[in-house]
């Protein structure tokens, strides 16, 4: 039986391992931490439970395809609840809008902000529909073998249709005049750790998928995805080894032969798949060949301060499940501070997730569970930031903004608190520069121009995850797992490829 080693039990690593096992491989996953998930993790503390990674379940058909490929049905494993309104967006002038798929309600809300703007929304969503399906069918959901294939005569017109050379914020400004609406339909770029002033106009697809396909929440939290896929993988024969950090990918000639663990143990395999962050794999696990310095010069996504608060005294009535607070200061300037100056904006925008609105089990009775995400710049190697001072500034900024909303006693009600900062992303998750979302998605870092999912020299070494094709976010990482296994099964000899049936109830 052919063997495979997967470095890292993130969502991409788990998905890749399970697909390989179902195709007949003997698979072992090596995870440096004590439990699976990577960025998609779970924190349990003082009776509270927090998703410490993604909190939005988008593109459900991508998840469903993964379960189907493993011989399962998603609905047998995940109890999905649609969140609508998807979130409440608070503007600097104390106005707000509830983004919802109820178009009658959207028309009333938008006309109150900018009369006649609802027509712009319909045209914008129509564009997002085109961008979404063209991207999935022709660019995101396939492997490219050459630059000529990527920029083929058939694809070039599609790149124009996708507005791949235009920026998102100026494009949105064609549909809305009011700066509040322009902000409300561009801040979603931060899901990918991008500035709307640098993100491709293609990403109008984000607002389409939210309003058309919906924002969902698996009962029990996003970490349910990790637990269910891990259980399915184990049922298919995948072995998971935890607290097993890898120190080196061993190579010989043009092949990867296996890995060495930090305790000196060596493991051999026919195929190696690195779910460690791709820049980390090149800089720390592989022989030096000049790639790591080149990767270090590429654009990286933002980082974040993540505050996890267990709160006494019941639910705070001002919050929906998802809440966005946009900056009082110049919208453009706030992104300059994050992406160019690599620091915290003077008055930062932030996001608050309050999952007990949907699933009360996230907190003890008569308590609340809040996660606050404050975007900030990634680690500046040339001029290191003072992270503790910035953490306190971010924390105070959240309390001060919420006080204007009428939530004046939050700080005194917090009985449990955990913070994750950029250095934690670097040290715990091996994310280069503490960038929470990996490599950026500017035009020269997407598609075939993004780091490839197979090593250019070692023909049996593959990469899966946010910093390779197609990109960041759980749905794209699951696509990454599908694409890389398609390559493995096509390119690698595997005498035993008998499909393995998943056991009932896995």
């Amino acid at each position: 039986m052919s063997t495979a080693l997967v470095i890292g039990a993130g969502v991409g690593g788990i998905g890749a391992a399970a697909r390989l096992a179902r195709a007949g491989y003997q698979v072992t996953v090596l995870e440096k931490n004590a439990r699976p998930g990577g960025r998609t993790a779970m924190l349990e503390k003082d009776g509270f439970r927090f998703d410490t990674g993604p909190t939005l379940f988008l593109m459900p058909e991508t998840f469903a395809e993964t379960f189907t490929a493993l011989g399962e049905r998603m609905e047998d494993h995940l109890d999905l609840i649609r969140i609508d309104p998807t979130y409440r967006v608070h503007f600097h002038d104390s106005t707000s809008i509830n983004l919802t798929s109820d178009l009658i309600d959207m028309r009333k809300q938008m006309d109150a902000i900018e009369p006649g703007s609802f027509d712009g929304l319909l045209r914008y969503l129509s564009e997002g529909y085109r961008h979404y399906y063209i991207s999935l069918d022709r660019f995101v959901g396939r492997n490219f073998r050459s630059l000529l294939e990527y920029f083929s005569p058939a694809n070039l017109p599609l790149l124009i249709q996708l507005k791949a050379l235009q920026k998102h914020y100026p494009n949105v400004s064609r549909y809305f005049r009011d700066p509040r609406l322009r902000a409300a339909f561009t801040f979603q770029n931060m899901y990918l750790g991008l500035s709307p002033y640098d993100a491709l106009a293609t990403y109008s697809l984000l607002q389409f998928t939210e309003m058309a396909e919906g924002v969902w929440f698996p009962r029990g939290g996003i970490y349910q995805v990790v637990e269910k896929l891990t259980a399915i993988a184990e049922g298919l024969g995948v072995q998971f080894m935890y607290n097993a950090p890898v120190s080196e990918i061993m190579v010989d000639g043009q092949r990867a032969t296996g890995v060495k663990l930090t305790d000196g143990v060596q493991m051999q395999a026919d195929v190696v798949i690195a779910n460690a962050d791709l820049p980390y794999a090149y800089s720390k696990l592989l022989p030096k060949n000049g790639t790591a310095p080149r990767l270090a010069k590429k654009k990286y996504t933002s980082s974040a301060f993540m505050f996890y608060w267990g709160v006494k005294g019941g639910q705070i009535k001002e919050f929906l499940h998802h809440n966005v607070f946009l900056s009082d200061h110049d919208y453009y300037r706030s992104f300059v501070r994050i992406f160019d100056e690599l620091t915290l904006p003077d008055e930062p925008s932030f996001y608050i997730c309050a999952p007990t609105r949907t699933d009360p089990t996230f907190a003890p009775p008569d308590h609340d569970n809040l996660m606050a995400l404050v975007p900030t710049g990634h680690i500046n190697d040339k001029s290191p930031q003072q992270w503790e001072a910035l953490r306190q500034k971010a924390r105070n900024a959240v309390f001060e903004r919420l006080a204007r909303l009428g939530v004046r006693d939050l700080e005194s009600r917090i009985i449990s608190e955990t913070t994750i900062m950029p250095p934690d992303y670097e040290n715990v998750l091996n994310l280069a520069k503490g960038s929470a979302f990996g490599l950026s998605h500017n035009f020269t870092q997407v598609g075939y121009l993004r780091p490839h999912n197979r090593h250019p020299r070692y023909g049996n070494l593959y990469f899966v995850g946010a910093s390779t094709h197609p990109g960041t976010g759980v749905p794209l990482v699951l696509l990454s797992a599908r694409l890389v296994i398609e390559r493995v099964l096509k390119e690698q000899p595997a005498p035993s490829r008998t499909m393995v049936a998943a056991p009932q109830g896995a």
Side-chain angles (χ1 to χ4, degrees):
M1 179 178 286
S2 297
T3 58
L5 291 171
V6 178
I7 305 168
V11 170
I14 299 167
R19 286 175 183 265
L20 269 185
R22 184 159 165 77
Y25 275 78
Q26 180 180 325
V27 186
T28 301
V29 179
L30 304 166
E31 168 56 46
K32 67 167 287 194
N33 294 312
R35 61 195 303 182
R39 272 171 273 206
T40 309
M42 172 69 73
L43 169 67
E44 296 174 284
K45 182 180 178 183
D46 301 326
F48 299 90
R49 191 168 77 253
F50 303 88
D51 279 314
T52 60
T55 56
L56 297 168
F57 188 101
L58 301 171
M59 300 172 63
E61 79 285 353
T62 304
F63 293 83
E65 187 280 330
T66 298
F67 281 92
T68 298
L70 302 178
E72 300 285 333
R73 299 194 320 152
M74 179 176 71
E75 53 268 35
D76 292 336
H77 295 273
L78 299 178
D79 181 9
L80 295 181
I81 306 165
R82 185 161 185 170
I83 308 297
D84 197 3
T86 53
Y87 28 66
R88 178 173 292 156
V89 181
H90 297 265
F91 302 113
H92 61 88
D93 59 355
S94 299
T95 60
S96 64
I97 186 171
N98 290 340
L99 297 185
T100 171
S101 60
D102 182 339
L103 295 183
I104 301 300
D105 188 24
M106 282 298 296
R107 181 171 188 167
K108 293 177 182 177
Q109 293 186 81
M110 294 184 70
D111 281 347
I113 296 173
E114 178 188 325
S117 60
F118 182 71
D119 180 65
L121 174 64
L122 295 180
R123 289 185 290 113
Y124 182 62
L125 292 177
S126 178
E127 175 187 281
Y129 164 81
R130 294 191 302 274
H131 289 179
Y132 182 67
Y133 286 105
I134 291 173
S135 295
L136 279 181
D137 293 342
R138 301 299 294 271
F139 292 98
V140 174
R142 58 170 294 189
N143 286 304
F144 291 96
R145 303 305 176 90
S146 71
L147 196 62
L148 288 176
E149 184 182 11
Y150 184 61
F151 289 113
S152 69
N155 280 349
L156 282 176
L158 297 179
L159 289 171
I160 301 301
Q161 289 183 43
L162 290 171
K163 299 185 176 181
L165 295 177
Q166 298 183 40
K167 303 303 184 185
H168 197 184
Y169 189 88
N171 183 58
V172 166
S173 300
R174 296 173 56 244
Y175 297 97
F176 311 110
R177 296 189 307 274
D178 193 291
R180 291 170 295 180
L181 293 182
R182 292 174 177 179
F185 291 104
T186 56
F187 78 85
Q188 293 90 345
N189 293 131
M190 291 301 290
Y191 299 167
L192 306 176
L194 302 176
S195 163
Y197 295 91
D198 192 46
L200 311 183
T202 310
Y203 293 124
S204 59
L205 60 85
L206 290 171
Q207 291 75 43
F208 166 76
T209 187
E210 286 181 349
M211 298 188 72
E213 293 188 328
V215 172
W216 300 80
F217 182 77
R219 193 179 303 277
I222 300 292
Y223 195 68
Q224 285 288 300
V225 175
V226 172
E227 292 184 325
K228 299 300 184 180
L229 289 179
T230 300
I232 292 170
E234 289 175 333
L236 292 168
V238 177
Q239 179 184 6
F240 287 83
M241 294 177 58
Y242 300 107
N243 300 307
V246 172
S247 62
E248 178 186 348
I249 297 174
M250 300 184 298
V251 297
D252 183 15
Q254 295 184 327
R255 303 280 294 175
T257 59
V259 304
K260 180 187 291 185
L261 306 185
T262 55
D263 62 6
V265 171
Q266 297 185 13
M267 304 179 68
Q268 310 292 320
D270 299 307
V271 172
V272 177
I273 298 178
N275 184 217
D277 193 36
L278 184 142
Y280 176 85
Y282 272 101
S283 66
K284 302 296 184 181
L285 303 181
L286 285 164
K288 309 305 179 191
N289 66 352
T291 301
R294 290 195 297 272
L295 288 171
K297 294 177 181 178
K298 289 185 177 293
K299 285 192 174 183
Y300 283 74
T301 54
S302 62
S303 193
F305 291 98
M306 308 288 292
F307 300 99
Y308 302 96
W309 293 323
V311 180
K312 65 181 180 181
Q315 291 187 3
I316 297 173
K317 61 181 177 59
E318 288 81 0
F319 295 145
L320 301 182
H321 188 128
H322 301 297
N323 312 266
V324 175
F325 295 80
L326 296 178
S327 173
D328 287 11
H329 268 54
D330 182 88
Y331 191 60
Y332 172 77
R333 177 63 182 160
S334 68
F335 291 105
V336 170
R337 293 284 283 170
I338 293 171
F339 291 95
D340 296 340
E341 300 174 9
L342 301 181
T343 190
L344 190 72
D346 296 326
E347 291 191 28
S349 300
F350 58 92
Y351 158 73
I352 286 184
C353 180
T356 57
R357 306 309 178 271
T358 306
D359 187 344
T361 66
F362 270 69
D366 197 35
H367 288 72
D368 208 354
N369 171 318
L370 302 177
M371 181 274 279
L373 183 160
V374 186
T376 188
H378 63 65
I379 293 171
N380 187 341
D381 297 323
K382 296 180 180 178
S383 181
Q385 299 95 326
Q386 300 298 314
W387 291 115
E388 179 54 34
L390 290 175
R391 183 197 72 84
Q392 192 60 52
K393 178 181 176 181
R395 188 176 186 271
N396 291 340
V398 172
F399 294 141
E400 290 169 8
R401 180 71 182 273
L402 293 181
R404 300 206 300 272
L405 183 66
V407 184
R408 298 183 176 85
D409 61 348
L410 174 58
E411 186 173 17
S412 65
R413 291 172 57 183
I414 294 173
I415 60 173
S416 178
E417 181 168 10
T418 300
T419 305
I420 295 177
M421 300 191 292
D424 299 312
Y425 286 115
E426 183 178 52
N427 298 328
V428 178
L429 295 174
N430 293 338
L431 300 180
K433 302 180 186 290
S435 169
F437 308 91
L439 287 173
S440 190
H441 295 77
N442 54 306
F443 182 75
T444 59
Q445 293 181 192
V446 294
Y448 185 78
L449 305 178
R450 198 166 182 80
H452 301 165
N453 57 11
R454 194 187 74 175
H455 195 280
R457 177 176 180 181
Y458 311 119
N460 64 331
L461 172 59
Y462 297 85
F463 301 96
V464 62
S467 290
T468 187
H469 178 65
T472 194
V474 175
L476 293 192
V477 168
L478 289 174
L479 274 175
S480 171
R482 191 201 87 199
L483 294 175
V484 79
I485 299 311
E486 286 178 359
R487 292 198 68 171
V488 171
L489 298 181
K490 184 175 182 179
E491 298 170 354
Q492 301 301 321
S496 302
R497 283 197 186 148
T498 304
M499 296 292 286
V500 177
Q504 292 296 317

